[in-house]
Amino acid sequence: MGDYHYHHFLSSMAGVGGQPNQSPLEGPPQMSHQPQVLAMGGHGPPMPNPYQSLGYFTGFPEPIMFNAPKSQRSRRKSAPGLDHIKHRRTRSGCFTCRSRRVKGKRECLYPEPAPPKGSGGSTSKESSSTAPSQQASPTSSRGDDDDDDDRDSKLEPIMDEDEEEPQSATSTTAPMFPLRRSSTTSSFGLQRVPTGYRYDSETPSFDGNKSSSPLSTGTATAQSHRPDWTFLPHELQFYLGYFYENITHYHYGLISDAGDFFRTTLVGLALRNEALLYAIVAFSAYHHALHNPHGRINEFLQYYNHSVKNLLECLKRKEKYSIATLLTILQLATIEEYLGDWVNLMGHQKAALEIFTQLFTPQTIMQSQTGRAALTWYGRFDLFVAIMGSFETTLPREWYLEAATYHDSCTAAEPDSVFWKFEACSAKMQLISMEMAMLYARRVKEEVTAEDFAAEHQRLSRCLDDWKNGWDPALVDPSHLVTDFSGSRAPDPNDIVNPFTSGALFQPPLFPSTVLTASYHSMSLLHDSQSGIRPTGEAKDKLREHAYKIYQIFEAVEFWSHSPPGGLIALQSALAVAALYVQRDPRHQMWIRRKFVLLEAMGYIFPATMRVRMAELFADDTCTRWWLPNDEGFPPLLQNIRAYADERNAMAATTQRDTVQQIRHVFSRMNIREAARKAAEN
């Protein structure tokens, strides 16, 4: 592979050897008013390859290629004339020291304090959502001093800087859990889930709604396919259970998941692959922390790091690439997206592309559910980066065409299956989006005349409208429109849309029609903005209509009590595009800013560069730090996550120059000036 380069890209993220560049951000973040953003054209030393980065993982070290051999660094001598002080090993080090396995010479930042014992007000429901590491053992009655001793015994010793580190401390080849026998001990020293702990007995259906539907889905119920993970340590069981009960394909930004791939097949593959397992568990732990009043990010970081290290070891061993390797990279890329780290995401994307083309052809990838899911998953990243940056897609047209053709044939074979209809609609949308991206890229490279561009632009506009108007009537069955919003809040005078108007929201199993409709409006906005023609009054009205349809859909999903988990995440990209067309008055802009707060509270961190663009649109520089005045809706946990994410992005500006230049185009092509002018004219 360019896998030699990908090795070092992963090494920089996993903390393999060497020195960190900065201490972790697990403690209270020191956030500046203006976050650092991706470089817009500064100069610096050339990088060895486009995958390079420094210690992205909370103070973890630089890539191996920049470090001296171990024989030269394992026993460093004191400088002449200075007294060398021998330090004792300790088990109470901060995250900085523990991640480096050495003490000293760095600012020490400690884990977020655990919630106080005996805090009142907890209910049985709250306790059932508490992570294993935050639950008390059912037999424990020890005091604070005993707790300190217990914690002390669980932490790994931190070596002094001149000590030789034992091999066992650095080895990542030994599995953290037995794959074929039960384990009751925690790899991280976490307390087990109390005996008798159960998840909710009622399992959500495909769309996160517990009601049944007379429409045919063409798939078996998800409950019958739940993988057996009872042989794993209890804390891993906990997070897999949380993933199964609370994470849907909407969290991955995908329209549909006909075979319940993410909750069943993906997890089943993860039970046989440690790197994939820890990537999924990390994703689950991240979401759990955000929905827990006492959530902390340290467990997410640990699981994430173990996934990266296991993947790195797999690549070092030159093992044959497998679908599990590909899915691990895609899961890590999804985590990068949530952290707003599109530079690292594109690093994973490049590696995934090479594995794709080695494992599959456009025809063979369609022969399994896993292959089809992987293609749709990868295609979403491919198309977003290409369209927003005016790049060519990394996958040729043949891949997207084959997917559309295959799903059309499945729809013909099972004409009553709405899920196959959704898969076919989604595949056609990806094909149209791919053709749009290629057209925009050709214009940027001056490979098309103005006349030919205009003709192709008009053709694609018709294709997009024909796609929307050609949906099977079963996908817009009016009997599945949501008309009952009982239990929702009263209308807010500051709302810019009425979310309770019938026609904006479909209930499961037709909820994907809601997301597809928002996608249609956002793609229409993007495509029209690329026309290069000054809009007429009629065109302006059409743009405004597209934007307001998205606003209405988003708020309807937000306030409907039966919306599936992750539904708003699936709409975030559409909302971000529509935000460029919001009217320039405080009421409209504050409405958009509050929606961005909501999405970030769900863990979807907007990149610093995008925040700078929106600050230009809103004419308010404070948006670069936080969306609302006085840190409203900005709790400490989210501040920690945001600071960690911003740090990764800032470091990327000086390390991965080639990828930074690409991602700079992705967000710089959000034409703020033109959008602001159009919004002002509305």
Side-chain angles (χ1 to χ4, degrees):
M1 206 185 215
D3 71 350
Y4 172 80
H5 301 309
Y6 192 59
H7 283 172
H8 297 298
F9 172 79
L10 290 175
S11 299
S12 70
M13 302 172 73
V16 180
Q19 300 292 328
N21 290 288
Q22 204 147 348
S23 57
L25 294 167
E26 183 71 20
Q30 302 297 321
M31 299 182 66
S32 62
H33 179 71
Q34 180 87 3
Q36 290 179 282
V37 298
L38 302 183
M40 296 297 174
H43 298 281
M47 300 306 298
N49 63 72
Y51 300 110
Q52 277 310 317
S53 63
L54 298 178
Y56 274 31
F57 179 75
T58 58
F60 275 95
E62 297 178 6
I64 293 174
M65 65 186 297
F66 293 134
N67 297 326
K70 187 172 181 179
S71 60
Q72 298 179 27
R73 58 183 168 89
S74 59
R75 289 193 175 275
R76 287 174 285 184
K77 301 299 181 181
S78 301
L82 296 178
D83 294 330
H84 180 66
I85 301 176
K86 175 71 173 181
H87 297 286
R88 296 177 58 193
R89 299 184 186 182
T90 178
R91 293 181 183 269
S92 58
C94 68
F95 278 144
T96 311
C97 302
R98 195 173 302 126
S99 66
R100 300 176 62 220
R101 297 185 183 276
V102 294
K103 303 190 298 290
K105 297 186 177 66
R106 298 281 170 180
E107 177 186 1
C108 287
L109 296 177
Y110 289 86
E112 298 165 40
K117 294 186 176 182
S119 57
S122 64
T123 64
S124 58
K125 182 177 180 180
E126 288 171 340
S127 63
S128 68
S129 66
T130 304
S133 60
Q134 295 171 284
Q135 293 175 339
S137 169
T139 60
S140 173
S141 61
R142 295 161 58 177
D144 290 341
D145 293 340
D146 290 336
D147 285 345
D148 289 340
D149 293 339
D150 184 61
R151 181 178 67 250
D152 195 60
S153 67
K154 294 173 182 175
L155 298 179
E156 299 178 19
I158 301 173
M159 312 297 294
D160 191 62
E161 291 201 3
D162 66 348
E163 288 188 272
E164 185 76 39
E165 189 169 15
Q167 179 66 27
S168 61
T170 58
S171 174
T172 61
T173 57
M176 296 185 62
F177 62 90
L179 289 174
R180 301 188 184 279
R181 59 185 176 85
S182 177
S183 172
T184 58
T185 59
S186 167
S187 306
F188 299 120
L190 304 178
Q191 294 173 330
R192 294 184 296 175
V193 180
T195 302
Y197 175 85
R198 296 193 306 165
Y199 299 102
D200 293 339
S201 59
E202 192 171 13
T203 304
S205 66
F206 173 81
D207 274 298
N209 189 287
K210 296 171 184 176
S211 63
S212 60
S213 169
L215 290 177
S216 169
T217 62
T219 60
T221 60
Q223 179 68 31
S224 63
H225 293 289
R226 175 168 174 159
D228 179 13
W229 52 68
T230 56
F231 64 93
L232 294 175
H234 281 245
E235 71 275 8
L236 298 187
Q237 292 187 45
F238 176 90
Y239 286 118
L240 287 180
Y242 187 86
F243 182 91
Y244 187 89
E245 299 289 343
N246 298 282
I247 305 300
T248 71
H249 59 282
Y250 297 120
H251 287 92
Y252 291 83
L254 301 181
I255 302 296
S256 62
D257 183 12
D260 206 10
F261 166 80
F262 285 95
R263 298 198 312 153
T264 57
T265 305
L266 181 66
V267 173
L269 288 169
L271 296 176
R272 301 190 296 274
N273 184 285
E274 288 186 65
L276 179 56
L277 175 66
Y278 284 115
I280 292 173
V281 168
F283 192 56
S284 179
Y286 179 76
H287 284 281
H288 178 270
L290 287 160
H291 289 86
N292 188 335
H294 305 299
R296 294 176 290 170
I297 65 171
N298 59 314
E299 289 183 8
F300 152 68
L301 295 175
Q302 292 181 69
Y303 291 127
Y304 173 88
N305 190 37
H306 278 285
S307 174
V308 173
K309 289 199 291 186
N310 274 279
L311 178 60
L312 178 61
E313 287 298 318
C314 171
L315 296 177
K316 282 183 175 180
R317 291 193 296 268
K318 301 293 183 181
E319 294 180 358
K320 185 178 180 180
Y321 300 133
S322 68
I323 188 65
T325 305
L326 174 62
L327 295 174
T328 301
I329 294 173
L330 292 176
Q331 180 64 72
L332 291 173
T334 297
I335 292 174
E336 307 301 346
E337 180 187 1
Y338 269 78
L339 294 174
D341 191 346
W342 283 86
V343 177
N344 266 342
L345 186 155
M346 291 176 70
H348 291 304
Q349 181 191 8
K350 292 174 183 178
L353 173 65
E354 187 155 350
I355 296 179
F356 250 116
T357 54
Q358 290 191 25
L359 291 179
F360 301 107
T361 67
Q363 293 73 36
T364 61
I365 200 169
M366 305 309 299
Q367 295 174 3
S368 71
Q369 178 206 28
T370 303
R372 295 190 295 271
L375 178 60
T376 304
W377 193 353
Y378 178 87
R380 179 178 170 272
F381 294 135
D382 193 20
L383 292 167
F384 178 86
V385 171
I387 289 175
M388 297 300 291
S390 294
F391 306 137
E392 294 183 357
T393 57
T394 59
L395 286 178
R397 183 177 186 272
E398 183 183 7
W399 292 79
Y400 295 101
L401 177 61
E402 190 68 31
T405 303
Y406 174 87
H407 288 106
D408 278 343
S409 66
C410 291
T411 301
E414 293 188 54
D416 294 330
S417 171
V418 294
F419 285 162
W420 280 127
K421 296 179 193 296
F422 280 131
E423 294 285 319
C425 270
S426 179
K428 287 179 183 176
M429 170 62 103
Q430 286 203 334
L431 178 60
I432 295 172
S433 300
M434 179 268 168
E435 293 180 346
M436 288 180 174
M438 299 300 286
L439 176 63
Y440 307 155
R442 289 175 60 201
R443 182 178 63 176
V444 169
K445 294 190 295 184
E446 299 181 346
E447 295 178 353
V448 60
T449 65
E451 293 77 11
D452 289 344
F453 177 86
E456 181 66 4
H457 187 277
Q458 291 178 6
R459 184 190 73 83
L460 289 173
S461 295
R462 291 192 299 269
C463 286
L464 187 60
D465 289 338
D466 291 345
W467 168 80
K468 176 64 172 66
N469 296 329
W471 289 4
D472 190 293
L475 301 186
V476 288
D477 183 351
S479 68
H480 283 74
L481 283 170
V482 175
T483 57
D484 182 7
F485 286 91
S486 58
S488 300
R489 64 152 176 83
D492 188 333
N494 291 319
D495 275 346
I496 62 175
V497 291
N498 180 2
F500 309 125
T501 300
S502 177
L505 181 61
F506 288 88
Q507 60 183 314
L510 298 190
F511 184 82
S513 293
T514 306
V515 182
L516 280 170
T517 301
S519 298
Y520 162 73
H521 290 298
S522 66
M523 288 303 301
S524 296
L525 284 172
L526 281 170
H527 190 58
D528 289 347
S529 71
Q530 293 282 346
S531 68
I533 301 174
R534 186 175 182 85
T536 63
E538 182 181 353
K540 294 173 187 175
D541 290 340
K542 186 178 179 181
L543 289 171
R544 180 172 54 190
E545 181 181 353
H546 285 308
Y548 275 78
K549 288 289 187 182
I550 294 171
Y551 303 154
Q552 184 183 25
I553 289 172
F554 189 93
E555 189 151 277
V557 173
E558 177 187 354
F559 290 113
W560 187 47
S561 59
H562 299 293
S563 292
L568 289 177
I569 296 294
L571 298 171
Q572 61 78 24
S573 60
L575 183 70
V577 172
L580 300 177
Y581 297 87
V582 71
Q583 293 185 38
R584 297 181 65 186
D585 64 74
R587 174 168 158 258
H588 283 78
Q589 292 187 355
M590 191 56 66
W591 185 91
I592 284 287
R593 290 165 68 166
R594 289 192 179 278
K595 300 312 175 188
F596 288 164
V597 168
L598 176 62
L599 287 168
E600 293 218 22
M602 294 177 175
Y604 196 92
I605 307 301
F606 288 101
T609 307
M610 185 267 195
R611 300 197 305 266
V612 170
R613 300 286 182 226
M614 298 310 298
E616 295 175 13
L617 177 64
F618 299 147
D620 185 351
D621 289 342
T622 64
C623 290
T624 59
R625 183 187 189 277
W626 185 239
W627 301 109
L628 298 179
N630 304 316
D631 285 353
E632 179 186 346
F634 200 20
L637 173 63
L638 191 53
Q639 291 186 39
N640 284 340
I641 295 173
R642 177 76 97 76
Y644 169 61
D646 284 352
E647 183 67 18
R648 289 163 60 105
N649 279 275
M651 293 173 67
T654 58
T655 56
Q656 300 187 64
R657 296 184 59 83
D658 290 350
T659 305
V660 166
Q661 288 299 315
Q662 290 180 327
I663 206 67
R664 174 177 65 86
H665 287 289
V666 170
F667 293 103
S668 67
R669 293 189 187 279
M670 297 172 65
N671 193 333
I672 300 299
R673 180 176 301 174
E674 180 67 12
R677 183 185 61 79
K678 292 177 180 178
E681 294 173 346
N682 288 335

